[in-house]
Amino acid sequence: MPDIKVTPLGAGQDVGRSCILVSIGGKNIMLDCGMHMGYNDDRRFPDFSYVTQNGRLTEFLDCVIISHFHLDHCGALPYMSEMVGYDGPIYMTHPTKAICPILLEDFRKITVDKKGETNFFTSQMIKDCMKKVVPLNLHQTVQVDEELEIKAYYAGHVLGAAMFQIKVGSESVVYTGDYNMTPDRHLGAAWIDKCRPDILISESTYATTIRDSKRCRERDFLKKVHETVERGGKVLIPVFALGRAQELCILLETFWERMNLKAPIYFSTGLTEKANHYYKLFITWTNQKIRKTFVQRNMFEFKHIKAFDRSYADNPGPMVVFATPGMLHAGQSLQIFKKWAGNEKNMLIMPGYCVQGTVGHKILNGQKKLEMEGRATLDVKLQVEYMSFSAHADAKGIMQLIRMAEPRNMLLVHGEAKKMEFLKDKIEQEVFVRCISCYMPANGETTTVVTNPSVPVDISLNLLKREMALGGPLPDAKRPRTMHGTLIMKDNSLRLVSPEQALKELGLSEHQLRFTCRVQLHDPHSDTDTLGRIYTHLKRSASHVFPSPQRMWDVLLSDLTLNS
Amino acid sequence: MKLYCLSGHPTLPCNVLKFKSTTIMLDCGLDTTAALYFLPLPLVHSPRLSKLPGWVSKDGAVNLEKELKECSGRVFVDSQPEFCLPEKELLDLSTIDVILISNYHCMMALPYITEHTGFTGTVYATEPTLQIGRLLMEELVTFMERVPKAQAATCWKNKEIQRLLPGPLKDAVDVWSWRKCYSVQEVNSALSKVQLVGYSQKVELFGAVQVTPLSSGYSLGSSNWIIQSHYEKVSYVSGSSLLTTHPQPMEQSSLKNSDVLILTGLTQIPTANPDGMLGEFCSNLAMTIRAGGNVLVPCYSSGVIYDLLECLYQFMDSANLGSTPFYFISPVANSSLEFSQIFAEWLCQNKQSKVYLPEPPFPHAELIQTNKLKHYPSIHGDFSSEFRQPCVVFTGHPSLRFGDVVHFMELWGKSSLNTIIFTEPDFSYLDALAPYQPLAMKCVYCPIDTRLNFHQVSKLLKDIQPLHVVCPEPYTQPPPAQPHRSDLMLELQPPPMAYRRCSVLGLPFRRRYERIHLLPELARSLVPSEIKAGVSVATVSAVLQSKDNKHVLQPVPKPAPVPPSKKRKRVTEEPPEVLNPKPLLSGAVPLEPFLAMLHKVQHTLSLRPNQSAQSACR
C-alpha cells in the first residue's frame, strides 16, 4: 500500500527550528531548515543524524524547500548544507533568496563575533550554501526530477513567504510554512486552489486564538503609542528587520502625518534602508493597493522615520524606536531595553510571538526581575504591552485554508502541544466536505498516512466515445452503466481497449460460441406458422440468450432450412 | 484539430486552435501599419499639414478634397488613424474559451475581441505582459484622444472609389474592417478578463487540456505556450529570442516532442544583426550630437528602449558626451521606467542578481537620479521650459502618425543637423516618413529586432524535432525583395504548413487514446493472465464516470438487496444497468476437460446454457 511519511525534526509540537521530513512516492523532501531562538547549544539546530548517522545528506534527500526568510525556518541551512553536507537543490522564492543570506550573516555575526562561539558556519559557507539555491516564482511548477514536482503559492506572512505543494504522481502534500489569511497594510492574504492534497501540513502558532479585527488592534496600538509619546515617554518596539516592521512603519507614518506629530521615530540598524529597498524592488509581492499606487507614491519611502544611532537612546524627550531583533534575545533591541526598563514612563510594545527562553517571553509572562549576564538583575518597571501583529493565521484562518484546499489529512506543526490539541479536536469535529483526520507528531515521531491512488490507464478513444454515446447526450450519474473492456499490460503501459480490438492487436482469433439444440416438433400447422409461434415463445422466455430478435429469427430460419 | 488563422501578419498573429473540446485563441495582434495610410495627428496646429492640397482625380470625376490630402506625390487619408483588426467573420468569436497572450505587442487587439463580440472566456497572460500591455494600450488611447478629429473619412473606402485612387491606397485590403482606436473603458474591461500566470505554471482548461507558458526571451514576461493533453502536444512559438538582452532566456527543452509547432514572430529584418545595429545607432547618435544636432528616436515605450538606454549609459561617457540630456516623452514614460524595475523574477540572471544586493536591475534608475535622463508625460508643461539642445529624444509612436513624435518631426525636420534614427522594425521607414517629405533631416535606419532569425530557428527546430510545423506563408519563401536568398526561408522536411489570413488548416494528427483512472478497488479486483511473454490481459467490467472531462472507472456496485417493498413507496433509486461480463474467448480449448464437462452438463442443458458452457470454455 503506498503511503506518505512525515517526520518533524523541529517544530513538532513546538515553535522554532522548523524542519520537516516528508517521504512521498519514494522521494524524500526536507521542508524548512530553521534554528531555535530559545537555545544556545546543540538543540538550536534540527537533529540531522535522524536522516543519516554519518556522512552527507545528499543521497538521502531529493530536495530542500525553504518557505520564508525567518531564521526559525532557514537559520540552520548553511549548517545543514555546508557542515553536515548537502549538494542537492534548495528551493525558495526570489525575495527569500535575496533576504535570507543577509539575516543569516546577521545571525552569524551575533553568535560568533559577539558571543564568541566557535564551530559555527562562516560567511563563506553562507555564500556557498546560497549557490545551491534555485529560485522559483509563484505558481510555477518546478519539475525537481521526472516524478517530483513542486509549486509555490502566496502565503502573505512576510515578503516572499510561500506555501508549497509537493506532488508525486497523484499523491500530494501541501506545506504552509507560516501564513496569514487576512491581508494587512503591506501584504496580501494567503491563497491556494482546491488542490485536495493527501496531507496539509499547517502551522498552528495561533491555534486557539481568534483575533479581533485588525482595525481594532491598529487603533489600540496607535492610541498606546500616542499616549506614551504625549506624556514624554519612550516607546520601544522590538521587531525583525523585515516584515511586521514595515507594516507598523506604514501605520505610524500615516498616523504621524495625519496627527502632525513631531516626536521622532527611529528604525535601528543599517538594515532599514536596505530592507525598505527590497520592498520597493519586490513590490509585486505586496498587496494590491501598494502595487497599484507605487508609480505615484512608493509606500516604502518614509518621511518621518529616520535611522537610529546608538547615542540617541540617551536623548531626552519622547521617541519611538523600532529595534531588532524581535524577541529581545540579543542585539540592539535588548540594549535599548536595558537602558529604558527602569522608567515607568516608557513603554515596550511586543508586536509578535516570543519563543520560550527569550527575554521577550519572560517579560510577557510578567517577570519583573530579570537575571542578566554577570549575575546582575534588572528591574522591569516600564509598561509592557503585547499586541499580536505577527502575521500568522488564527484558528479561523486555519479553518479557512482547510476549506480552500480540502485536504484528506491534516498535520499540525509550529505550535504549542496544548493549543494544537484544541485545534485538532476542532478540525476533527468540524463538518468539512469529507472527514479529516488530524495528526500532531512530536519531533522525531513519524506519521504515516496511507494513500489510495487510482491507477492511470490509457483508454482507446473509440471505446470511450462509444460508451459515452451510449449513455445519452448528457451523462446520467443516477443510472450508471457497465462497460466492458480489455486491459492490455505490456512494457509498463496499461491500455484499455474494446475486446474486439484487443483480440485483433494480440493476433488472436475469437472463438464463436454457438449452441445448438435439436427439438422435434409435431405440429399440424404450416411451417411458417410454427416458426412464428416458436419465435414468439422464445422471445418471451429466452430473449437474453440472443443478442437481438433479428439474430434469433435468423437462427431459427437457418435451422429450419437445415431440417427441411 | 483545426487552426483558424485570423491574421496574416507574421509578427502580429491571431490564430484560433480547436483542440479536443476547447477553442483557444493564440495571441491577438493589432496590425497598426494601416495607420501609415493616414495623415499624422499633430499635437499643435501644423500650418504645413493643414495647407496640403486635397485630392481630386485627374479627370475631376471623383472629388475627395475633404478626405484625402496629397503630400509629395502620395495621397493620405485625413482622418483619425485606423487599424486593421483580426478577421472577425471566420468563426464565431463568442465561442472562444480562452485567449493566450505571448507578449505585450501581441495583445493590442484585445479590446476589439473581448468587447462587443460576446466573448465570455478568460485571457491568460503573465504579469509583466499585462502591466506593460496596459501601458501601451493607454498610451495609444491617449495619443488618439488628446487630438480629436472632428470628421471621420469613409467615402474613400467605397469600392468603386478606392479602385480609382492612386498608389498604395488603391491596394489596401479589407478597408471596411479597419477600426478606430478603442477607449479607456474598453481597455479596462478587456484587461479585467486577464488571469495572471507564471512561467511553467500548468493551467487546466476544463480538465481537457493543459496550457503552460514558457519563457521566450523576447521581452519582459514574453512567453511561448505549450498546449497539451496526455497524448498530444502543440507548441506555440511566438516572438522568441536567443540573444541575451534583459528578459529571462528562452526555455527550449520543454518544446521537445511536439506533434505540431506553430511558429510565428520571427525577425522582420533577417538581414540585420541587432548588435551591429546597436553600434551603428550609437555612432550615428554621437556624430549628430557632436555636430550640434538633435537626435530623434521614435520607439515604443517599453522593450528595446531599456536596452538602448543601458547601452547609451555606457557609451555616452566613453564618447565624452556625458552631458547630453536624454528625454523620454510619453504619457506612460514614468510608469514604464518604474515597472521595468520591479519585475526581477522575469529578468535575466545578471539583472536578477543585482536585485539581491538590493539595487535596481536597470541602470536607467541611475540615469534618472543623475538627471541625465528625464521623462515627461508630453511636450506640454514642464518639458517646454526644461528642454535643452542638443539632446536625444525617445518618443512614440514609431509609425510617426500620432504621439509626440509628430511634433518633433515638424520641429526638427527642416534642419539637416538633426537625425532621426529608426530602431523599431514594425514600420517601413520610407512609408513612415512619406507625409513629412520633403525632409532635410538625416534619416538612419537601424532596426533592432532581437527575434529569432532563420538560421537560429532551423537549429532550434533540429533540436526540438516537432512532427509538423505550421507557419505564416511569408516564411516559406524568400523575402520578395531578395528572391535569391533561399537561406531566408524555412526549409523543412516535411515542408511546413503555410497559412495566410482567413486560412483554416486541419492539423494532421489523430487522437487515439484518452486518460482514464481505475479506482484502486477496481484495480485490485482485476485478474491479469499472461497471453504472450511480457503481455498480460485482463477483462474489465466497470462503471464509467465522466466528470469535468475526467474519466474514472468504478467497480460495478453490487445490486442492493431489494428491501421488502412497502406498498405505497416505490424504490426511487434505479439499479445500474448490469450487463453480463463478457470474457475473451480465445486460445486453445483444452479438449478433454471440455468434453468431460459437456458430458456432465448435457442433461441439464436447457434454454439457458450459456453459464455452464462458458465455465467449460475457461
Side-chain angles (χ1 to χ4, degrees):
Chain A
M1 208 51 140
D3 55 24
I4 303 176
K5 288 193 173 72
V6 183
T7 316
L9 295 186
Q13 301 182 2
D14 186 18
V15 178
R17 64 163 192 206
S18 283
C19 182
I20 297 138
L21 297 177
V22 173
S23 297
I24 171 171
K27 308 281 169 188
N28 297 317
I29 297 111
M30 180 183 284
L31 302 170
D32 278 341
C33 191
M35 50 89 69
H36 203 294
M37 306 264 184
Y39 299 119
N40 278 326
D41 49 19
D42 279 351
R43 289 174 295 173
R44 87 178 136 211
F45 290 145
D47 181 13
F48 296 111
S49 66
Y50 180 91
V51 183
T52 169
Q53 283 293 340
N54 35 29
R56 304 171 72 79
L57 302 172
T58 312
E59 55 183 301
F60 299 97
L61 291 178
D62 291 278
C63 73
V64 173
I65 295 171
I66 302 295
S67 64
H68 63 282
F69 58 66
H70 278 158
L71 287 176
D72 57 330
H73 292 259
C74 70
L77 198 58
Y79 171 76
M80 194 267 309
S81 77
E82 304 310 310
M83 296 173 82
V84 181
Y86 169 74
D87 301 317
I90 301 167
Y91 292 96
M92 51 176 89
T93 64
H94 286 271
T96 309
K97 187 185 172 187
I99 296 163
C100 173
I102 296 173
L103 297 185
L104 284 172
E105 181 59 34
D106 240 40
F107 172 43
R108 191 198 66 81
K109 264 192 205 145
I110 289 176
T111 325
V112 177
D113 299 354
K114 294 235 170 91
K115 295 190 190 156
E117 277 187 51
T118 49
N119 193 24
F120 203 72
F121 54 78
T122 61
S123 296
Q124 189 54 43
M125 284 178 181
I126 298 176
K127 279 185 194 131
D128 292 340
C129 167
M130 293 317 286
K131 279 184 196 142
K132 297 170 185 171
V133 171
V134 183
L136 43 67
N137 285 352
L138 283 184
H139 302 169
Q140 177 188 2
T141 315
V142 176
Q143 213 73 40
V144 177
D145 58 30
E146 297 256 300
E147 287 132 15
L148 175 61
E149 61 177 50
I150 58 175
K151 182 177 177 183
Y153 292 92
Y154 191 77
H157 172 64
V158 285
L159 192 74
M163 308 193 275
F164 283 87
Q165 182 193 36
I166 300 116
K167 201 170 165 191
V168 178
S170 58
E171 297 169 278
S172 66
V173 170
V174 168
Y175 173 59
T176 63
D178 292 355
Y179 63 104
N180 184 14
M181 295 300 285
T182 42
D184 62 30
R185 280 182 187 263
H186 74 305
L187 296 174
W191 178 87
I192 195 164
D193 53 18
K194 200 163 287 235
C195 53
R196 301 194 168 99
D198 291 298
I199 308 178
L200 175 68
I201 305 175
S202 170
E203 65 133 328
S204 48
T205 323
Y206 288 122
T208 53
T209 336
I210 291 179
R211 290 184 293 178
D212 50 2
S213 89
K214 192 103 194 174
R215 294 228 164 266
C216 291
R217 259 178 291 152
E218 284 176 2
R219 209 179 316 130
D220 218 28
F221 169 76
L222 290 173
K223 202 175 131 208
K224 288 199 170 116
V225 171
H226 192 192
E227 278 170 9
T228 312
V229 171
E230 286 284 274
R231 66 167 180 256
K234 296 177 168 64
V235 184
L236 172 65
I237 310 172
V239 286
F240 286 99
L242 288 126
R244 269 342 81 193
Q246 274 69 25
E247 186 189 359
L248 296 177
C249 283
I250 292 176
L251 195 63
L252 281 187
E253 168 93 8
T254 39
F255 186 70
W256 250 238
E257 199 149 315
R258 201 174 67 219
M259 305 294 286
N260 202 13
L261 295 177
K262 292 285 175 275
I265 310 176
Y266 297 113
F267 199 126
S268 82
T269 76
L271 255 176
T272 341
E273 200 109 333
K274 231 174 168 181
N276 290 341
H277 214 95
Y278 279 118
Y279 275 84
K280 284 186 222 165
L281 292 173
F282 286 111
I283 212 129
T284 48
W285 286 79
T286 58
N287 70 22
Q288 283 263 289
K289 197 181 149 202
I290 293 185
R291 268 156 61 186
K292 263 198 176 146
T293 55
F294 91 100
V295 176
Q296 288 80 43
R297 169 165 170 32
N298 201 318
M299 288 293 257
F300 298 104
E301 274 160 19
F302 301 117
K303 267 189 251 161
H304 297 272
I305 300 167
K306 294 171 198 81
F308 181 74
D309 187 275
R310 195 170 298 181
S311 61
Y312 295 174
D314 298 322
N315 283 4
M319 64 171 87
V320 180
V321 175
F322 290 95
T324 54
M327 298 186 192
L328 281 183
H329 53 281
Q332 200 152 33
S333 61
L334 190 59
Q335 282 171 16
I336 299 174
F337 172 75
K338 283 184 201 162
K339 279 193 178 155
W340 292 359
N343 191 340
E344 60 277 333
K345 264 208 304 197
N346 296 341
M347 181 179 275
L348 171 77
I349 298 182
M350 299 295 293
Y353 183 85
C354 283
V355 165
Q356 242 172 14
T358 59
V359 174
H361 188 263
K362 286 176 198 158
I363 297 170
L364 282 184
N365 279 352
Q367 223 166 305
K368 286 289 172 201
K369 269 198 195 316
L370 290 175
E371 279 175 42
M372 305 313 283
E373 285 150 39
R375 298 231 179 109
T377 54
L378 183 67
D379 289 317
V380 181
K381 286 192 189 144
L382 88 177
Q383 298 176 49
V384 178
E385 291 287 342
Y386 174 69
M387 269 180 209
S388 128
F389 271 98
S390 59
H392 292 281
D394 58 5
K396 211 165 94 194
I398 295 172
M399 291 303 191
Q400 230 175 321
L401 189 81
I402 298 177
R403 249 176 232 116
M404 262 185 180
E406 286 194 5
R408 290 186 182 82
N409 300 282
M410 231 2 235
L411 195 142
L412 300 178
V413 294
H414 199 284
E416 288 156 33
K418 264 192 202 149
K419 294 184 181 177
M420 277 186 182
E421 201 81 58
F422 173 82
L423 184 67
K424 176 178 185 291
D425 287 346
K426 204 167 164 215
I427 291 171
E428 285 175 345
Q429 279 160 21
E430 190 90 353
V431 184
F432 288 114
V433 179
R434 52 180 154 215
C435 9
I436 297 173
S437 17
C438 186
Y439 305 89
M440 37 175 286
N443 286 338
E445 186 188 330
T446 302
T447 300
T448 308
V449 170
V450 173
T451 55
N452 218 350
S454 55
V455 183
V457 160
D458 303 346
I459 185 169
S460 118
L461 206 61
N462 289 338
L463 178 65
L464 183 70
K465 281 199 171 155
R466 195 174 74 194
E467 285 301 322
M468 300 216 340
L470 281 175
L474 288 170
D476 187 356
K478 290 260 172 66
R479 281 205 65 196
R481 276 186 81 260
T482 318
M483 67 173 275
H484 297 295
T486 303
L487 190 66
I488 304 181
M489 291 164 247
K490 189 179 165 187
D491 311 329
N492 273 334
S493 79
L494 295 173
R495 286 177 305 130
L496 187 64
V497 298
S498 63
E500 304 84 56
Q501 198 190 334
L503 288 168
K504 213 169 120 195
E505 254 191 65
L506 297 168
L508 301 173
S509 54
E510 189 179 11
H511 293 307
Q512 291 291 329
L513 264 194
R514 200 78 186 263
F515 303 96
T516 49
C517 181
R518 185 168 300 185
V519 182
Q520 269 192 347
L521 288 175
H522 299 283
D523 196 67
H525 296 85
S526 72
D527 280 357
T528 36
D529 212 15
T530 316
L531 210 56
R533 283 170 61 204
I534 298 173
Y535 177 67
T536 3
H537 177 73
L538 281 181
K539 202 170 142 190
R540 203 168 52 236
S541 58
S543 58
H544 59 274
V545 179
F546 297 95
S548 69
Q550 183 58 45
R551 176 93 184 115
M552 182 155 69
W553 187 246
D554 291 348
V555 170
L556 278 173
L557 264 186
S558 62
D559 287 6
L560 189 82
T561 27
L562 272 177
N563 292 345
S564 56
Chain B
M1 266 281 299
K2 273 191 171 162
L3 188 71
Y4 297 78
C5 310
L6 310 189
S7 157
H9 197 297
T11 30
L12 297 167
C14 183
N15 296 315
V16 175
L17 178 72
K18 287 210 177 196
F19 182 24
K20 284 179 89 176
S21 49
T22 55
T23 308
I24 302 170
M25 180 179 269
L26 305 169
D27 274 335
C28 208
L30 181 66
D31 189 351
T32 44
T33 48
L36 293 175
Y37 296 105
F38 291 77
L39 266 197
L41 285 180
L43 261 175
V44 282
H45 178 75
S46 154
R48 185 187 71 86
L49 285 174
S50 57
K51 276 188 202 137
L52 288 177
W55 180 82
V56 183
S57 70
K58 273 189 195 121
D59 52 4
V62 186
N63 186 339
L64 286 175
E65 270 183 323
K66 289 239 168 74
E67 294 202 345
L68 303 179
K69 305 279 176 187
E70 216 167 339
C71 176
S72 307
R74 277 259 277 248
V75 173
F76 296 94
V77 183
D78 187 11
S79 174
Q80 200 191 84
E82 296 179 354
F83 310 123
C84 177
L85 311 194
E87 186 59 47
K88 282 182 160 180
E89 307 299 321
L90 198 58
L91 85 163
D92 181 2
L93 294 180
S94 68
T95 61
I96 289 173
D97 297 313
V98 294
I99 303 180
L100 308 181
I101 303 293
S102 55
N103 61 64
Y104 47 77
H105 286 302
C106 293
M107 64 187 286
M108 299 299 279
L110 207 56
Y112 295 113
I113 304 290
T114 59
E115 312 304 301
H116 319 301
T117 59
F119 173 82
T120 54
T122 313
V123 183
Y124 288 98
T126 60
E127 179 155 18
T129 302
L130 170 69
Q131 302 297 1
I132 296 174
R134 179 193 294 277
L135 294 183
L136 293 183
M137 287 182 181
E138 282 171 358
E139 182 186 43
L140 199 63
V141 173
T142 318
F143 281 162
M144 295 296 177
E145 285 184 351
R146 69 183 178 191
V147 276
K149 277 249 174 192
Q151 53 150 4
T154 49
C155 294
W156 69 275
K157 289 186 178 176
N158 194 316
K159 239 184 211 158
E160 291 305 308
I161 294 174
Q162 199 200 352
R163 206 163 45 85
L164 301 170
L165 297 180
L169 216 46
K170 184 171 70 176
D171 308 315
V173 287
D174 277 338
V175 290
W176 281 108
S177 67
W178 291 7
R179 287 286 173 274
K180 283 199 294 187
C181 187
Y182 30 73
S183 66
V184 174
Q185 289 77 29
E186 286 168 318
V187 170
N188 288 337
S189 165
L191 295 184
S192 70
K193 291 162 185 145
V194 175
Q195 179 142 6
L196 296 181
V197 289
Y199 287 150
S200 314
Q201 181 179 347
K202 295 175 177 173
V203 182
E204 287 271 326
L205 303 182
F206 316 107
V209 178
Q210 194 183 60
V211 296
T212 311
L214 301 173
S215 172
S216 79
Y218 168 58
S219 60
L220 268 177
S222 70
S223 37
N224 294 322
W225 290 84
I226 306 274
I227 302 134
Q228 62 185 343
S229 66
H230 281 289
Y231 306 93
E232 302 85 18
K233 178 168 173 181
V234 180
S235 298
Y236 174 58
V237 173
S238 163
S240 302
S241 174
L242 291 172
L243 295 179
T244 345
T245 56
H246 57 275
Q248 213 180 89
M250 177 182 180
E251 153 82 49
Q252 298 178 45
S253 58
S254 303
L255 298 171
K256 279 182 184 164
N257 305 320
S258 308
D259 294 292
V260 172
L261 185 127
I262 303 168
L263 181 67
T264 64
L266 301 184
T267 176
Q268 303 188 71
I269 319 288
T271 47
N273 166 18
D275 281 332
M277 286 294 140
L278 207 57
E280 220 167 286
F281 170 82
C282 289
S283 63
N284 276 298
L285 185 134
M287 215 149 60
T288 309
I289 300 284
R290 286 207 184 99
N294 300 299
V295 177
L296 178 62
V297 188
C299 62
Y300 292 114
S301 301
S302 178
V304 179
I305 184 171
Y306 304 141
D307 297 315
L308 290 179
L309 287 174
E310 183 161 2
C311 171
L312 289 178
Y313 165 80
Q314 293 156 354
F315 173 79
M316 293 308 268
D317 278 331
S318 65
N320 238 341
L321 295 168
S323 60
T324 314
F326 300 151
Y327 300 114
F328 178 16
I329 302 167
S330 155
V332 298
N334 185 24
S335 303
S336 166
L337 294 173
E338 288 283 343
F339 269 111
S340 68
Q341 307 284 23
I342 64 159
F343 292 125
E345 284 102 324
W346 311 86
L347 293 173
C348 63
Q349 192 103 51
N350 223 334
K351 298 231 176 298
Q352 249 174 36
S353 50
K354 275 190 146 180
V355 177
Y356 293 157
L357 291 178
E359 274 170 25
F362 284 98
H364 53 239
E366 203 186 313
L367 285 176
I368 294 170
Q369 239 169 29
T370 54
N371 266 332
K372 283 181 183 163
L373 171 65
K374 292 189 173 183
H375 52 81
Y376 302 90
S378 86
I379 51 165
H380 301 301
D382 290 348
F383 176 67
S384 40
S385 55
E386 292 172 16
F387 157 70
R388 193 151 64 71
Q389 297 192 30
C391 62
V392 183
V393 170
F394 296 88
T395 186
H397 183 269
S399 66
L400 306 189
R401 290 303 178 271
F402 42 87
D404 302 274
V405 73
V406 176
H407 179 75
F408 287 97
M409 286 305 292
E410 297 287 329
L411 189 70
W412 292 346
K414 292 165 214 106
S415 163
S416 61
L417 277 180
N418 301 327
T419 307
I420 177 168
I421 309 182
F422 291 90
T423 55
E424 300 289 350
D426 285 1
F427 303 92
S428 140
Y429 78 105
L430 289 175
D431 289 342
L433 289 173
Y436 300 97
Q437 299 292 1
L439 204 62
M441 176 185 216
K442 261 184 293 184
C443 302
V444 180
Y445 185 52
C446 300
I448 298 172
D449 196 333
T450 57
R451 286 172 275 213
L452 295 176
N453 61 35
F454 287 97
H455 175 69
Q456 290 166 328
V457 91
S458 62
K459 194 171 162 291
L460 175 74
L461 291 177
K462 212 173 273 171
D463 284 347
I464 58 178
Q465 297 275 357
L467 288 183
H468 301 277
V469 173
V470 177
C471 69
E473 200 173 33
Y475 295 163
T476 59
Q477 54 214 27
Q482 294 132 309
H484 58 284
R485 292 288 297 269
S486 60
D487 57 326
L488 299 184
M489 59 180 277
L490 278 181
E491 271 183 299
L492 299 170
Q493 234 11 276
M497 303 169 67
Y499 72 81
R500 53 171 81 174
R501 194 178 165 102
C502 290
S503 297
V504 180
L505 304 182
L507 296 185
F509 59 81
R510 254 187 63 212
R511 297 180 45 225
R512 294 175 59 191
Y513 288 100
E514 181 61 272
R515 179 55 59 96
I516 199 167
H517 284 268
L518 307 186
L519 283 194
E521 302 87 61
L522 177 69
R524 239 172 282 136
S525 72
L526 296 181
V527 192
S529 56
E530 192 159 21
I531 299 275
K532 291 176 191 166
V535 184
S536 298
V537 163
T539 53
V540 179
S541 294
V543 172
L544 173 68
Q545 280 272 2
S546 296
K547 203 160 75 183
D548 299 338
N549 284 319
K550 298 262 181 256
H551 312 290
V552 173
L553 280 182
Q554 302 172 329
V556 181
K558 297 217 171 67
V562 183
S565 60
K566 282 172 193 158
K567 267 173 199 167
R568 257 174 287 164
K569 202 175 171 187
R570 286 195 59 190
V571 186
T572 45
E573 195 122 328
E574 289 178 74
E577 191 183 334
V578 180
L579 301 177
N580 287 320
K582 216 169 138 197
L584 268 190
L585 299 180
S586 184
V589 182
L591 210 55
E592 284 298 318
F594 177 61
L595 282 175
M597 184 69 85
L598 267 188
H599 196 70
K600 219 165 95 188
V601 296
Q602 68 176 346
H603 300 293
T604 55
L605 221 61
S606 69
L607 276 172
R608 272 177 182 270
N610 55 343
Q611 271 138 13
S612 46
Q614 259 171 21
S615 55
C617 287
R618 285 215 178 122

